[in-house]
Amino acid sequence: IVYSGLNEILNGVIKSVKKDGEWKVLIVDHMSMRILSSCCKMSDILAEGVTIVEDINKRREPISSLEAIYLISPVEKSVRALINDFKDAAFTYKAETCFIDQLFSYIGRSRVAKVIKTLKEINVAFLPYESQVFSLDDPTSLYSFYSSKPNEEKDKMMENLAEQIATLCDTLKEYPAIRYRKGPEENARLAEEVHQRLIAHKADNPSMGEGADKARSQLLIVDRGFDPISPILHELTFQAMAYDLLDIKQDIYTYQTTGIGNAKEREVLLDEDDELWVQLKHMHIADVTKKVTELLRTFCESKRMCTDNANIKDLSQMLKKMPQYQKELSMYSTHLHLAEACMKKFKASLDKLCEVEQDLAMGANAEGEPLKDAMKSIVPVLLNKEIEAYDKIRIILLYIFHKKKGIGEENLAKLIQHANIQADSNIITNLQNLGCNIIAGGRNAGKMLPERKERTESTYQLSRWTPTIKDVMENAIEDKLDRKQWPFISDPAPINTTQTAVSSARFGHWHKNKSPTEYRSGPRLIIFVIGGVSHSEMRSAYEVTRATDGKWEVLIGSSHILTPTSFLNDLKSLDQASSTIFTS
């Protein structure tokens, strides 16, 4: 995804107007800057003759000697800012190339029309978050879909999401068969909206979906209520655990470096430019420190540096002695810090909590014996004053899902009282808006969570749960998804599961600083989750891709990436007025 987004922006925007020896200014708005940052490095842009990148909504010094490229999204604020740059004779820039995707007539009536050299539509309206993960950058989406309050913006939001998903398919050159989970009305509606937009994109770009096995590609639309368990469990794989337990904002991890008398704060971006992060992020925390230590020892031996005990203290000493290896040693130091911070939180309060969570989610203990008295397991957790309110809510929700048919209102009131979480108790009842059966005999009576696949692979005792979406991914690839439960919007191409798809680009090449020689020709399974996707579900996409030996590539995305805390915050907002949510 990252490579395709980079290709669309560099080739479609910057290279198309590049002239040798000429420098240009690139003007962006908030959305286009987010897209740019997610798939390009500054060096990529500089290499194409862009000397400076500026924010259209900030005050800028005029540079009348340089031409400008405006990469802006189709919103009135950005278009007004563009027009204001050229409203008088003293133009901000010499002339310009403008890339926008609507509001043409508004520009046509203004003075700016006289100085525009080119006006072009670029179909990138999504963030390539990782090589197999995308985001539509709309954290308010869960509220828009599932709020208890009337929402006049829902239709418009649905249309925007559909167009964004269509631009993803267009960028990937995919024209997939569309399926959706039957039941929730919004799934069918969004699937139909996407279908209509894909037809329009295909008319403009007939090469979409062409290729030996492309006819087998599918797009699945699923709602967040399909699996409410995965986003609330404490996950013990490195990425999911770090984002759940540590204060990571916009993928930046901040920590104190150690050293004698010179401790200082360090900020690190956790993304796919960090090859060690790519290698470690899906590993179980128990294996991470071991792996980092092993890799560090191998690195030290290759550089003839002696290290008996690879730890953070040793690293700070090595950095002083070997400054030429600062980049590599800092990377090892960061991940040792990150792993140690996760383990510190885990040992403080989570080991017992994780065991209770896994037993509830699986309906059985680590030995596979059915859970006889779930209440007995959860009461000590609820009464423990040292356990945080949100962790208690996670336990109560898992208990309710374990009961399958919901629990009585009186029982729920008692649990809330025991846990002393009255201030946040609406989180629990608001899950009903997602179609979950919370109150026995309530509005979602009879709605059950999906049946699960039997899994025999060995796992850590505190990591027995597998996200439900992984079952769906595997079944879709094997053509075993129930067609009544997962209907097609239009008739699909027949799937031949024994056929080998030619994979022309290794998945590691789908990266902002690497480029594949050809496009991938094998089929893709693209999954869109309405209302947010969790890190464990993201990991499942990579695991299923690996299991097919490259025959299929699974991509997953949503309006935004969830952590357990952000998911519970989203749920808490569902019975509040929209003005409260969007201004808070």
Side-chain angles (χ1 to χ4, degrees):
I1 300 176
V2 176
Y3 169 75
S4 293
L6 172 64
N7 190 53
E8 188 82 13
I9 287 170
L10 289 188
N11 290 340
V13 179
I14 299 170
K15 285 183 181 177
S16 65
V17 294
K18 183 183 175 185
K19 289 179 191 163
D20 286 343
E22 274 190 19
W23 289 94
K24 287 187 164 48
V25 182
L26 180 62
I27 316 295
V28 295
D29 60 12
H30 175 73
M31 182 61 185
S32 58
M33 188 62 198
R34 295 269 291 154
I35 293 168
L36 205 60
S37 302
S38 67
C39 58
C40 301
K41 295 192 322 200
M42 196 61 203
S43 56
D44 296 324
I45 299 165
L46 287 171
E48 300 304 332
V50 170
T51 182
I52 187 170
V53 178
E54 299 221 80
D55 185 336
I56 195 167
N57 293 308
K58 288 188 178 163
R59 191 173 172 151
R60 290 157 279 131
E61 288 296 316
I63 312 177
S64 54
S65 59
L66 294 182
E67 289 190 357
I69 301 170
Y70 283 73
L71 177 64
I72 56 177
S73 47
V75 293
E76 190 173 337
K77 184 181 178 185
S78 298
V79 175
R80 282 193 184 282
L82 162 66
I83 290 168
N84 285 340
D85 277 356
F86 296 87
K87 68 182 176 191
D88 53 39
F91 294 154
T92 311
Y93 306 103
K94 189 166 91 181
E96 64 178 56
T97 309
C98 180
F99 295 86
I100 191 162
D101 111 15
Q102 286 161 11
L103 298 171
F104 287 135
S105 59
Y106 191 29
I107 295 169
R109 293 194 300 271
S110 71
R111 186 169 188 160
V112 72
K114 297 188 176 93
V115 291
I116 289 178
K117 283 188 175 178
T118 319
L119 196 60
K120 190 170 178 182
E121 181 178 15
I122 297 295
N123 283 313
V124 182
F126 61 91
L127 301 186
Y129 186 71
E130 288 181 2
S131 57
Q132 288 175 234
V133 181
F134 64 94
S135 163
L136 303 187
D137 200 30
D138 183 8
T140 64
S141 173
L142 191 99
Y143 182 87
S144 301
F145 270 100
Y146 301 114
S147 167
S148 312
K149 307 291 177 188
N151 184 3
E152 293 162 8
E153 297 295 310
K154 186 172 178 178
D155 287 353
K156 182 71 181 153
M157 182 270 309
M158 186 94 76
E159 289 164 13
N160 287 344
L161 287 186
E163 181 57 32
Q164 286 178 280
I165 295 167
T167 72
L168 170 80
C169 296
D170 194 331
T171 302
L172 293 170
K173 305 206 175 332
E174 296 286 354
Y175 190 64
I178 302 172
R179 303 177 79 167
Y180 60 93
R181 181 173 92 101
K182 194 166 184 178
E185 167 269 331
E186 59 271 8
N187 293 358
R189 187 153 160 232
L190 182 60
E192 185 54 50
E193 291 275 4
V194 174
H195 180 56
Q196 294 306 324
R197 280 159 179 73
L198 276 182
I199 292 170
H201 278 261
K202 175 79 169 167
D204 290 339
N205 183 2
S207 66
M208 274 173 72
E210 286 184 2
D213 284 309
K214 290 290 190 189
R216 301 196 293 149
S217 291
Q218 291 187 21
L219 167 66
L220 264 54
I221 295 190
V222 59
D223 54 293
R224 183 65 274 166
F226 168 69
D227 175 9
I229 293 175
S230 294
I232 60 174
L233 278 175
H234 278 95
E235 260 275 327
L236 300 183
T237 47
F238 195 28
Q239 181 186 39
M241 190 177 189
Y243 277 74
D244 183 5
L245 302 182
L246 308 177
D247 189 24
I248 296 172
K249 288 192 172 75
Q250 291 183 317
D251 304 315
I252 293 170
Y253 171 55
T254 307
Y255 68 98
Q256 294 287 329
T257 59
T258 50
I260 304 160
N262 64 345
K264 57 178 190 254
E265 195 169 78
R266 184 154 187 257
E267 286 190 347
V268 182
L269 180 64
L270 300 173
D271 72 356
E272 291 186 334
D273 282 338
D274 180 342
E275 289 178 12
L276 188 55
W277 174 244
V278 173
Q279 202 172 343
L280 300 171
K281 66 183 177 182
H282 296 149
M283 289 175 70
H284 193 278
I285 192 67
D287 301 322
V288 170
T289 309
K290 210 182 338 179
K291 185 69 177 174
V292 179
T293 307
E294 182 189 300
L295 290 169
L296 175 58
R297 190 166 285 121
T298 306
F299 174 77
C300 291
E301 284 166 5
S302 72
K303 305 297 178 196
R304 301 204 170 126
M305 299 155 67
C306 90
T307 173
D308 302 321
N309 181 23
N311 59 32
I312 290 169
K313 198 173 173 188
D314 273 1
L315 272 170
S316 57
Q317 294 305 314
M318 279 191 251
L319 274 165
K320 286 177 185 167
K321 290 180 192 168
M322 304 276 192
Q324 68 270 39
Y325 300 126
Q326 170 130 13
K327 185 185 170 191
E328 293 89 342
L329 293 173
S330 292
M331 189 168 64
Y332 291 116
S333 172
T334 294
H335 293 296
L336 279 173
H337 260 284
L338 196 56
E340 284 188 11
C342 287
M343 283 309 295
K344 194 174 172 185
K345 291 261 189 184
F346 175 76
K347 286 174 180 169
S349 62
L350 290 182
D351 47 354
K352 185 62 190 159
L353 198 61
C354 287
E355 186 184 343
V356 175
E357 286 182 0
Q358 289 292 317
D359 288 356
L360 290 169
M362 299 301 293
N365 63 18
E367 286 70 46
E369 297 160 351
L371 207 55
K372 290 194 179 86
D373 189 356
M375 183 63 81
K376 194 176 172 183
S377 308
I378 72 166
V379 167
V381 175
L382 303 186
L383 295 176
N384 187 335
K385 289 181 180 168
E386 289 178 12
I387 293 177
E388 293 177 10
Y390 269 27
D391 285 339
K392 291 180 179 182
I393 288 170
R394 287 158 82 165
I395 287 284
I396 291 173
L397 287 172
L398 290 167
Y399 171 74
I400 294 169
F401 298 137
H402 167 69
K403 300 301 280 184
K404 296 196 180 347
K405 294 181 180 178
I407 62 172
E409 288 192 75
E410 280 184 31
N411 284 348
L412 178 57
K414 281 179 191 169
L415 293 176
I416 289 165
Q417 194 177 350
H418 284 318
N420 194 22
I421 52 151
Q422 288 86 342
D424 297 311
S425 62
N426 67 328
I427 291 172
I428 299 166
T429 47
N430 282 352
L431 250 173
Q432 293 175 106
N433 291 18
L434 277 65
C436 298
N437 196 354
I438 301 294
I439 306 294
R443 59 177 153 142
N444 295 322
K447 289 187 180 177
M448 307 286 277
L449 293 179
E451 288 296 313
R452 298 306 311 273
K453 264 177 124 171
E454 284 289 323
R455 293 187 179 270
T456 52
E457 60 259 41
S458 61
T459 58
Y460 283 93
Q461 288 191 358
L462 300 183
S463 300
R464 286 170 279 143
W465 173 262
T466 301
T468 313
I469 202 71
K470 189 172 181 181
D471 296 355
V472 174
M473 292 170 180
E474 292 167 345
N475 287 338
I477 284 170
E478 293 163 15
D479 198 20
K480 291 178 183 171
L481 261 194
D482 185 325
R483 294 192 176 212
K484 287 182 180 164
Q485 285 303 311
W486 295 87
F488 285 90
I489 285 285
S490 55
D491 288 337
I495 291 185
N496 175 0
T497 52
T498 58
Q499 187 179 345
T500 302
V502 179
S503 174
S504 56
R506 289 210 333 271
F507 306 120
H509 279 163
W510 282 60
H511 192 273
K512 65 178 88 168
N513 57 0
K514 299 175 184 173
S515 56
T517 49
E518 303 168 59
Y519 280 104
R520 171 179 171 77
S521 63
R524 288 194 178 99
L525 176 65
I526 304 169
I527 296 189
F528 182 78
V529 186
I530 293 173
V533 65
S534 69
H535 288 95
S536 58
E537 291 166 325
M538 287 158 52
R539 187 185 74 250
S540 297
Y542 294 89
E543 290 169 351
V544 174
T545 298
R546 261 197 313 277
T548 69
D549 293 325
K551 293 188 184 79
W552 281 77
E553 185 182 37
V554 182
L555 309 178
I556 191 166
S558 183
S559 48
H560 59 308
I561 313 298
L562 293 173
T563 64
T565 300
S566 72
F567 181 50
L568 296 184
N569 285 339
D570 284 351
L571 291 171
K572 189 171 171 60
S573 74
L574 293 184
D575 56 3
Q576 296 171 26
S578 60
S579 56
T580 316
I581 311 309
F582 303 137
T583 56
S584 61

